[in-house]
């Protein structure tokens, strides 16, 4: 079966739509009332969360680029039809070199009026409403949306000082796709206490039914991430029992990962972005100087095999290196017992690479097909955690919809279904709130 935007029955393919929207972004028809209907756009997570949160199909969360310069020529439009939100596509054939004629300046959302006579209906989507707790304040008076925010259905929180690749001693060493150093303090609260975090987690659990809290940070000179995270992780785990994820550069002492595991951290995520050694140095000079690519690979190997967290993720960004290289990175991660997290490169406003072109969906498709194939061949535990839908990336299980034969690996899928059911019951029995 050929994989494209529409399936043989004429329905949109949600997985392809999610992937193509990452690559092209979404323009906003004047019929939309996002100020009333949508979650506020919060630029966090290295800038990747700069888009509009939308739910495609049966609960496929996505964060669609809407403000970047290259969105101004997207064929995709968000339209409001009475109370329904729909995605339409301009019928003018999309040519990738449109970006050559656009000026990489300006800032959306790119509002306009869709010419429906020259467009086709693609799909009906849902816009998740902003949770009430976003506008609540913690006891210390901080706005909760500046402590943490939903990325799909899980809560993401930045903890610690500004990544030291951004200074004061690491100027110009930040990763070229990243804007974290600009966001912290402006979009996110730079100073937050453990109590601020716990109160926000509890509010998000109560109203948004989160199951997973993902806490991340950038580089600190000491690389002592156990010292940085232990008090906040312990407080969140002890007071909520929710699933806990750690995303940080490799710890200076790998033995600390055993302490994280004993504390109850479920998932560790290590982001090396590209496996091409030269590109690694060029894209992330601070990462290269402080840890090096090998440091990330060693940490993935150690956490996945010697410590044994529930899951370990090696994170890469497709679109920053040749697709063969991205596939090699996926192979490396899978062959070393971890699960790839594959982001699509988003040239975000303010990043050193903010004026680059976004990747082509035609190039991304084989990467994500390879990703799914390798996860299924290896029988990796994908899609097990209850109610964890991620808007910033294609989840591995979502990539099934990108396969020419989505019905392949029936036994593995049955095994995963069973694991998901058992793990969900285990989680429900232990969660404290
Ligand atoms: S390590 Fe790189 S991607 Fe991560 S916060 Fe620092 S500059 Fe950004």
């Amino acid at each position: 079966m050929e994989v494209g935007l529409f399936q043989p029955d004429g329905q949109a393919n949600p997985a392809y739509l999610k992937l193509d929207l990452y690559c092209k972004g979404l323009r906003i028809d004047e019929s939309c009332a996002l100020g009333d209907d949508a979650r506020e756009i919060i630029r966090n997570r290295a800038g990747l969360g700069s888009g509009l949160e939308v739910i495609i199909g049966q609960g496929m969360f996505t964060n669609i680029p809407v403000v970047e310069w290259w969105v101004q020529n997207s064929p995709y439009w968000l339209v409001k039809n009475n109370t329904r939100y729909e995605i339409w596509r301009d019928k003018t054939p999309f040519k990738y070199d449109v970006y050559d004629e656009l000026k990489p300046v300006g800032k959306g959302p790119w509002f306009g009026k869709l010419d429906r006579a020259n467009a086709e209906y693609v799909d009906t989507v849902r816009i998740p409403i902003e949770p009430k707790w976003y506008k609540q304040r913690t006891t210390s008076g901080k706005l909760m949306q500046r402590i943490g925010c939903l990325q799909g259905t899980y809560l993401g929180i930045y903890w610690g000082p500004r990544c030291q690749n951004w200074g004061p001693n690491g100027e110009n060493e930040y990763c070229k796709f990243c804007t974290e150093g600009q966001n912290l303090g402006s979009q996110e609260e730079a100073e937050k206490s453990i109590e601020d975090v716990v109160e926000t987690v509890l509010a998000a659990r109560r109203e948004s039914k989160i199951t997973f809290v993902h806490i991340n940070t950038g580089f600190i000179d000491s690389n002592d991430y156990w010292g940085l995270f232990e008090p906040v992780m312990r407080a969140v785990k002890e007071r909520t029992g929710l699933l806990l994820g750690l995303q940080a550069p490799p710890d200076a002492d790998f033995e600390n990962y055993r302490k994280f595991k004993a504390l109850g951290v479920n998932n560790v995520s290590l982001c090396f972005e590209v496996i091409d050694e030269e590109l690694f140095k060029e894209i992330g000079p601070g990462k290269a100087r402080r840890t090096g690519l090998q440091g990330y690979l060693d940490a993935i190997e150690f956490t996945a095999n010697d410590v044994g967290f529930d899951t370990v993720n090696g994170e890469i960004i497709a679109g920053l290196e040749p697709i063969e290289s991205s596939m090699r990175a996926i192979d490396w991660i899978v062959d070393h017992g971890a699960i790839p997290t594959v982001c699509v490169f988003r040239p975000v406003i303010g990043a050193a690479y903010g004026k680059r072109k976004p990747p082509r969906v035609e190039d991304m498709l084989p990467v994500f097909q390879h990703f799914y194939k390798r996860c299924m061949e290896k029988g990796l535990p994908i899609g097990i955690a209850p109610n964890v839908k991620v808007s910033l990336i294609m989840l591995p299980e979502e990539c099934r919809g990108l396969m020419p034969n989505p019905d392949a690996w029936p036994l593995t899928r049955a095994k995963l279904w069973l694991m998901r059911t058992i793990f969900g019951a285990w989680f429900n029995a232990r969660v404290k709130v």
Side-chain angles (χ1 to χ4, degrees):
M1 184 184 86
E2 197 179 325
V3 179
L5 181 59
F6 292 104
Q7 304 176 99
D9 63 1
Q11 301 283 313
N13 175 342
Y16 189 94
L17 179 59
K18 178 170 175 174
L19 183 62
D20 207 14
L21 286 164
Y22 282 147
C23 295
K24 300 193 177 92
L26 182 68
R27 298 167 77 184
I28 312 290
D29 183 68
E30 58 186 24
S31 57
C32 299
L34 295 179
D36 299 331
D37 299 337
R39 291 180 188 170
E40 191 176 326
I41 293 172
I42 303 173
R43 293 174 68 213
N44 54 10
R45 296 276 145 150
L48 205 58
S50 61
L52 180 70
E53 293 271 316
V54 172
I55 307 170
I56 303 172
Q58 302 294 316
M60 191 179 277
F61 279 73
T62 184
N63 182 286
I64 308 175
V66 289
V67 296
E68 285 75 18
W69 67 273
W70 42 274
V71 174
Q72 59 186 296
N73 229 336
S74 172
Y76 291 109
W77 287 77
L78 185 68
V79 173
K80 190 168 188 187
N81 198 349
N82 295 317
T83 55
R84 272 194 352 211
Y85 276 97
E86 299 171 346
I87 291 187
W88 286 60
R89 183 172 70 164
D90 195 324
K91 280 189 191 155
T92 314
F94 179 83
K95 294 200 179 72
Y96 188 67
D97 46 19
V98 288
Y99 298 121
D100 295 337
E101 284 144 38
L102 291 179
K103 283 223 170 70
V105 292
K107 181 170 179 278
W110 300 100
F111 288 102
K113 186 166 170 51
L114 173 67
D115 173 13
R116 292 197 196 192
N118 188 38
E120 60 190 334
Y121 165 84
V122 176
D123 206 358
T124 295
V125 295
R126 282 179 291 142
I127 308 287
I129 54 165
E130 184 169 288
K132 292 192 190 74
W133 63 262
Y134 265 33
K135 296 289 181 274
Q136 284 173 23
R137 290 189 182 270
T138 63
T139 308
S140 71
K142 305 239 163 78
L143 205 55
M144 288 189 178
Q145 72 172 30
R146 287 172 60 84
I147 302 294
C149 84
L150 294 176
Q151 279 142 355
T153 59
Y154 77 92
L155 184 70
I157 295 175
Y158 188 94
W159 180 255
R162 187 166 77 150
C163 170
Q164 291 178 345
N165 284 339
W166 289 82
N169 300 313
E171 280 84 354
N172 301 323
E173 284 198 322
Y174 47 80
C175 302
K176 294 195 169 87
F177 56 85
C178 171
T179 59
E180 185 61 52
Q182 300 162 17
N183 302 339
L184 200 64
S186 64
Q187 305 278 313
E188 296 172 67
E189 205 62 57
E191 300 286 330
K192 42 186 99 132
S193 67
I194 290 174
E195 203 50 37
D196 287 330
V197 169
V198 172
E199 287 177 21
T200 304
V201 171
L202 288 170
R205 171 66 182 168
R206 259 193 308 272
E207 185 186 338
S208 305
K209 307 281 179 287
I210 58 161
T211 54
F212 180 52
V213 183
H214 191 242
I215 308 185
N216 78 318
T217 197
F219 271 97
I220 52 175
D221 288 336
S222 65
N223 282 332
D224 174 16
Y225 299 101
W226 169 250
L228 177 69
F229 279 112
E230 191 258 346
V232 69
M233 292 280 193
R234 192 176 296 285
V236 173
K237 194 71 186 186
E238 284 182 358
R239 288 168 64 184
T240 70
L242 293 173
L243 300 172
L244 209 48
L246 159 72
Q247 184 176 298
D251 200 285
D253 180 359
F254 282 6
E255 288 303 314
N256 283 336
Y257 288 117
R258 297 192 200 280
K259 299 182 194 165
F260 277 118
K261 160 90 179 162
L263 186 151
V265 169
N266 303 87
N267 166 270
V268 167
S269 179
L270 290 137
C271 312
F272 62 94
E273 330 301 3
V274 294
I275 204 162
D276 181 294
E277 185 88 45
E278 289 311 306
L279 284 171
F280 182 87
K281 290 182 202 154
E282 185 186 319
I283 293 166
K287 282 188 174 187
R289 180 179 68 79
R290 292 168 186 274
T291 307
L293 176 59
Q294 195 58 48
Y296 277 88
L297 302 183
D298 290 346
I300 291 171
E301 178 133 40
F302 185 82
T303 49
N305 300 295
D306 291 34
V307 185
F309 290 96
D310 291 348
T311 48
V312 170
N313 289 96
E315 186 167 321
I316 61 167
I317 303 180
L320 282 178
E321 62 184 331
I323 59 172
E324 300 72 31
S325 211
S326 294
M327 290 189 194
R328 187 159 62 83
I330 289 168
D331 288 339
W332 191 94
I333 297 165
V334 169
D335 291 340
H336 289 79
I339 302 173
T341 297
V342 188
C343 309
V344 174
F345 170 49
R346 182 180 300 190
V348 291
I349 293 169
Y353 282 175
K355 292 179 181 172
R356 291 202 162 192
K357 294 181 194 177
R360 296 168 190 259
V361 70
E362 294 81 2
D363 292 336
M364 293 297 97
L365 187 59
V367 172
F368 284 90
Q369 288 174 330
H370 186 70
F371 171 35
Y372 181 76
K373 175 171 163 277
R374 289 305 323 272
C375 290
M376 296 307 279
E377 281 173 354
K378 202 81 176 176
L380 294 177
I382 58 173
I384 304 298
N387 188 34
V388 178
K389 308 276 187 187
V390 185
S391 58
L392 301 184
I393 54 158
M394 296 290 305
L395 287 165
E397 60 273 23
E398 291 173 346
C399 296
R400 181 181 167 211
L402 301 174
M403 303 304 285
N405 179 10
D407 294 332
W409 297 288
L411 287 179
T412 309
R413 284 188 287 111
K415 189 184 90 181
L416 291 173
W417 176 84
L418 195 61
M419 287 169 73
R420 187 162 54 245
T421 308
I422 294 168
F423 190 76
W426 176 90
F427 171 80
N428 287 333
R430 274 164 185 75
V431 69
K432 296 179 183 169
V433 286

